[in-house]
Amino acid sequence: YRTTKLYRKRITKTHQTRNQSEFPKPPSHYVRRDKMRYGLMLVDGSEFLYGIQPIKLALEANTRKFYSLYLKQGDKNNKEVDNILHKYKEITNSSHMYLPKDTFNQLVKENATQGVIMEVSPIDIEYCNWLMPTKEKKIWVALDKIHDPHNFGSIIRSSVLFEASGIVIPPRGSCPVSPAVSKSSAGALEVQPIRMAGNFNRFLTESQKNGWKIVTTSSKSSKSISINEFELEGPTILVLGNEGLGVSRSVMELADTHLTISISQKHKDIDSLNVGVAAGVVLSNLHRSISTV
């Protein structure tokens, strides 16, 4: 706001004879960040986290900025919501607000809010050009253009439960990191490191040079071996592909090993697993030899 005033003051000096309506508008990045929406003063660029588990874990992780906490009028608080209210007050020294049902439902067009919404800053995602050398048997999960937020969330949830060190996503062509992903992950997004590769293939190549093995899932490759036969021997990147197209050809060519999952052949038209399910199966098998991070 102060910058906006200074900008207008400078314009005034150079246009003394012109009317105020003729003054050029200040650049967009000079405009105040607070905006009125749904009858509420909201922070521009903020998002609405919803559901008890995502909000609870976000407050525990304390890596976002917390702006407002909203509850739906008429709902009775349970113990979990009371714990959220206490933690929010402890961190922000602010109180929550009760909103009428209509206003509350406008903030998030979902039925799974569980009566609690928190206005927060977007999650911080750091760029990562490669993974550093290590002798530990670590796993990172790299997502090759996953589109569905429910699949994205499911993969993050499995990666936390089976002790993967983090998630790497490409710079474009993938599902955005959003509150819907956090909800689908049961809040696991709030505690799992997410990194963005400036160039996805280069990230994999440079990490390979640092001793990381690249593993994908595929049933159509001469490099394919059963997941039951695979043993983790060192740091490994598990690449999971797009829901429809699978892992891209360029990544398949980079991979050191392609893993297959044994499935029933009873129904020929059902010949593959959903990528979120496949991630859980593979990570569960690899978890036997993953070192504690």
Side-chain angles (χ1 to χ4, degrees):
Y1 179 69
R2 188 175 188 284
T3 312
T4 304
K5 289 182 66 177
L6 292 175
Y7 180 86
R8 287 199 177 278
K9 186 175 181 181
R10 179 169 58 83
I11 294 295
T12 303
K13 286 182 178 179
T14 57
H15 298 274
Q16 294 288 348
T17 62
R18 299 176 64 181
N19 295 327
Q20 182 72 24
S21 60
E22 294 178 293
F23 291 164
K25 293 182 179 180
S28 59
H29 61 278
Y30 286 155
V31 178
R32 287 178 63 108
R33 291 182 58 81
D34 293 335
K35 290 187 176 181
M36 183 70 75
R37 284 183 289 166
Y38 314 115
L40 300 169
M41 186 64 77
L42 304 176
V43 177
D44 190 25
S46 65
E47 58 189 28
F48 296 114
L49 202 61
Y50 58 94
I52 289 173
Q53 193 70 359
I55 292 176
K56 173 187 173 183
L57 291 178
L59 289 169
E60 288 179 0
N62 201 15
T63 56
R64 297 180 187 253
K65 292 180 181 178
F66 309 122
Y67 302 126
S68 300
L69 183 63
Y70 302 113
L71 272 64
K72 188 190 297 184
Q73 280 183 356
D75 283 5
K76 292 184 179 179
N77 294 356
N78 55 37
K79 185 177 180 180
E80 290 179 313
V81 172
D82 286 338
N83 289 338
I84 285 172
L85 299 182
H86 176 77
K87 188 69 175 178
Y88 177 78
K89 176 78 172 180
E90 182 182 289
I91 293 174
T92 66
N93 199 29
S94 301
S95 299
H96 58 284
M97 293 175 58
Y98 284 99
L99 297 180
K101 182 178 179 181
D102 290 344
T103 304
F104 187 91
N105 291 339
Q106 280 185 311
L107 299 184
V108 176
K109 304 293 192 292
E110 292 279 349
N111 295 322
T113 62
Q114 297 176 291
V116 56
I117 295 173
M118 185 163 62
E119 186 190 3
V120 298
S121 63
I123 205 159
D124 187 30
I125 301 176
E126 297 179 11
Y127 273 89
C128 180
N129 293 320
W130 58 75
L131 295 177
M132 297 297 291
T134 179
K135 294 182 180 180
E136 295 183 73
K137 293 180 180 180
K138 290 187 176 182
I139 285 278
W140 275 76
V141 181
L143 305 184
D144 189 5
K145 298 182 179 177
I146 299 296
H147 289 166
D148 190 305
H150 299 291
N151 285 333
F152 193 1
S154 175
I155 293 167
I156 296 171
R157 185 175 185 174
S158 294
S159 73
V160 170
L161 291 174
F162 296 119
E163 297 187 272
S165 299
I167 303 284
V168 179
I169 58 176
R172 62 189 66 86
S174 292
C175 169
V177 179
S178 66
V181 173
S182 187
K183 178 63 177 175
S184 296
S185 73
L189 171 65
E190 307 304 320
V191 298
Q192 182 68 306
I194 308 290
R195 300 290 182 264
M196 182 176 287
N199 182 301
F200 195 69
N201 283 19
R202 189 180 301 158
F203 162 80
L204 296 175
T205 302
E206 294 300 321
S207 296
Q208 268 183 322
K209 292 177 182 177
N210 289 337
W212 290 76
K213 297 294 183 184
I214 310 299
V215 173
T216 66
T217 54
S218 174
S219 59
K220 303 174 182 178
S221 168
S222 58
K223 298 180 183 179
S224 294
I225 64 171
S226 170
I227 181 64
N228 297 321
E229 299 173 11
F230 181 75
E231 287 291 334
L232 206 66
E233 297 178 351
T236 300
I237 301 172
L238 171 63
V239 183
L240 299 168
N242 174 270
E243 292 90 342
L245 302 175
V247 179
S248 59
R249 181 180 297 180
S250 58
V251 174
M252 291 287 284
E253 292 172 354
L254 283 173
D256 299 291
T257 306
H258 302 154
L259 303 178
T260 62
I261 301 171
S262 298
I263 56 175
S264 169
Q265 302 298 320
K266 185 176 180 180
H267 299 284
K268 294 182 179 179
D269 292 332
I270 306 175
D271 59 357
S272 63
L273 292 171
N274 169 283
V275 65
V277 176
V281 173
V282 175
L283 287 170
S284 174
N285 276 268
L286 297 180
H287 181 248
R288 291 172 287 126
S289 48
I290 294 178
S291 62
T292 302
V293 179

